[in-house]
Amino acid sequence: MKVAPLGTIPTAAQVPALTPVRPVTRVQGGQLLREMQRAVEADAVDPAQPVEGPTRVGAPKTSTQPGLAPLLPQTPAQATAQALRTALTRQSGLAPLMADLNQALRAQVLSPPARAAAMQMLTQLIPLDPEVRGADIKRALKTSGLFLEANLAADPETSPLGGDLKAALLVLRQALGPATRRPPGATPRPPYGGAPTSAQKAAMPSLPLNASAAAIGEALAAETQGALAHLDLLQLASLPEPDKPGEPTRWMFETPLQTPQGPGVAQFEISRDSQGRARDEEREPLWRARFSVDFEPVGPIDAQVAFDGDLARVSLWVLRPDAAERLRAAQPVLAQALAAANLQLELAVHSGPPPAPTTSSGRLLDQSA
């Protein structure tokens, strides 16, 4: 078997045109993505342990047993709960998928549509850059897949392919075919509203280069389905809670990173709190950002940034003592960078993990039940 050399992240110009695997009525705009989304929901993950797909709101469920009346349509809360249960049983990390996609491209066993979709996925990787700006975070939020369905509803004629992580995952999912098993290995911490952010450290490929095309395709299909389910959990975590109307607006999303050790994932939560400032209409809303990264040589870092007018309050929690000292020593550099943007810095570096938030009872399901 001919093995290609390990390359860098492919550019958009190097990615072949994406071709749909099965015909659809209309390829333009969002219709193709809707067809693929329906296919993902219809696929079974494990024949031995079938998992129901999300039930659409308003679609009545009819009993097949004689003498029983049709069940009432699901409420939005019931549909959300069903989607949560489904995603929890399927979810897996994005970092292992990225590592195995790179390995599959080296093995040169993917079909042309799958190869094009894999290269499109790898363009989503962002190289580590010490000079991250606000525009970079905004771009990461916009392309995270969090708003795919909303963007399709607002502008169904514009295709999100090439600029949306969930769209890229759906194209890859269609090219690989249905998943017949669950992905192996440990799953990342399930995200939920108000949960601590959690990074995925750099992943190494789990696929051997001499694996068969069928084995590689089966593994990638399972990992792709798991990554889509994890993204569904991020979308659910970003929904407003109906029983808490005063809660801040928040968005929880992830960005794949290309680290020297392999693909990793940074997780973010951005929130906007304007409710607590209703009595002071002249003050701007308070913006907060929390994020987690885990890469060498600093290890896991959790951060919280709050922008209050021209004051930036930054809190960092670092597990490794040597990394904490390096960050404290870099405070003047960070203060100078913020001063250039007319911001003042208030920095606190803590050794150890961040304080755990209080989790309400029944927030997440026991997946072993």
Side-chain angles (χ1 to χ4, degrees):
M1 179 187 299
K2 183 180 178 182
V3 178
L6 181 62
T8 57
I9 303 171
T11 64
Q14 295 173 309
V15 180
L18 296 173
T19 305
V21 176
R22 52 175 171 257
V24 293
T25 305
R26 197 174 94 227
V27 176
Q28 242 185 344
Q31 183 65 22
L32 173 60
L33 269 298
R34 293 195 193 92
E35 293 291 336
M36 288 187 286
Q37 181 70 58
R38 295 189 187 102
V40 170
E41 293 175 0
D43 287 337
V45 180
D46 185 346
Q49 297 179 337
V51 179
E52 287 189 19
T55 303
R56 290 174 175 77
V57 179
K61 299 169 69 176
T62 305
S63 172
T64 57
Q65 299 183 25
L68 294 179
L71 299 177
L72 294 176
Q74 282 192 319
T75 65
Q78 290 171 333
T80 299
Q82 176 62 47
L84 176 63
R85 287 192 294 269
T86 301
L88 280 172
T89 59
R90 294 183 177 184
Q91 68 117 12
S92 61
L94 181 62
L97 169 63
M98 290 294 200
D100 282 338
L101 284 175
N102 206 349
Q103 187 84 326
L105 289 176
R106 293 182 65 201
Q108 296 187 337
V109 296
L110 296 177
S111 66
R115 179 176 177 82
M119 294 181 69
Q120 183 69 65
M121 274 294 299
L122 292 178
T123 63
Q124 304 289 327
L125 284 165
I126 299 176
L128 280 178
D129 188 345
E131 297 184 4
V132 178
R133 298 175 176 83
D136 300 320
I137 304 299
K138 182 178 180 180
R139 189 181 308 110
L141 172 61
K142 183 179 179 181
T143 61
S144 66
L146 209 60
F147 309 108
L148 174 63
E149 290 81 0
N151 290 337
L152 289 177
D155 189 4
E157 297 303 320
T158 300
S159 173
L161 298 179
D164 187 278
L165 178 60
K166 189 171 185 178
L169 280 167
L170 287 169
V171 171
L172 178 64
R173 181 66 183 82
Q174 187 195 36
L176 293 170
T180 58
R181 61 178 176 85
R182 303 181 192 277
T187 59
R189 181 188 302 169
Y192 60 88
T197 53
S198 177
Q200 296 175 37
K201 64 188 307 182
M204 298 297 293
S206 64
L207 299 174
L209 279 174
N210 60 353
S212 66
I216 289 178
E218 182 180 88
L220 291 178
E223 290 176 331
T224 303
Q225 177 109 310
L228 276 166
H230 187 76
L231 209 160
D232 287 342
L233 290 176
L234 290 166
Q235 290 180 300
L236 291 169
S238 302
L239 291 175
E241 298 188 39
D243 56 339
K244 296 181 180 179
E247 285 289 294
T249 303
R250 61 172 171 252
W251 300 274
M252 201 168 193
F253 64 100
E254 292 180 343
T255 296
L257 301 174
Q258 181 60 56
T259 76
Q261 296 77 36
V265 174
Q267 190 175 94
F268 296 81
E269 185 196 74
I270 297 178
S271 62
R272 178 180 183 271
D273 185 4
S274 58
Q275 298 290 334
R277 303 198 165 197
R279 289 172 291 184
D280 190 352
E281 297 181 357
E282 295 183 358
R283 299 190 66 183
E284 296 181 355
L286 179 64
W287 287 89
R288 290 189 179 89
R290 295 188 296 123
F291 64 89
S292 297
V293 293
D294 187 354
F295 58 89
E296 297 300 331
V298 296
I301 297 178
D302 297 279
Q304 178 173 293
V305 183
F307 291 98
D308 189 357
D310 59 357
L311 177 63
R313 295 189 178 93
V314 181
S315 297
L316 301 175
W317 289 268
V318 189
L319 289 185
R320 299 180 184 176
D322 57 333
E325 290 303 319
R326 291 170 60 184
L327 289 172
R328 292 188 183 101
Q331 180 172 354
V333 179
L334 180 57
Q336 184 178 3
L338 290 173
N342 298 319
L343 291 171
Q344 300 176 8
L345 173 65
E346 191 176 285
L347 175 65
V349 180
H350 309 275
S351 296
T358 303
T359 305
S360 58
S361 176
R363 167 71 72 173
L364 293 176
L365 302 176
D366 181 2
Q367 297 187 48
S368 64

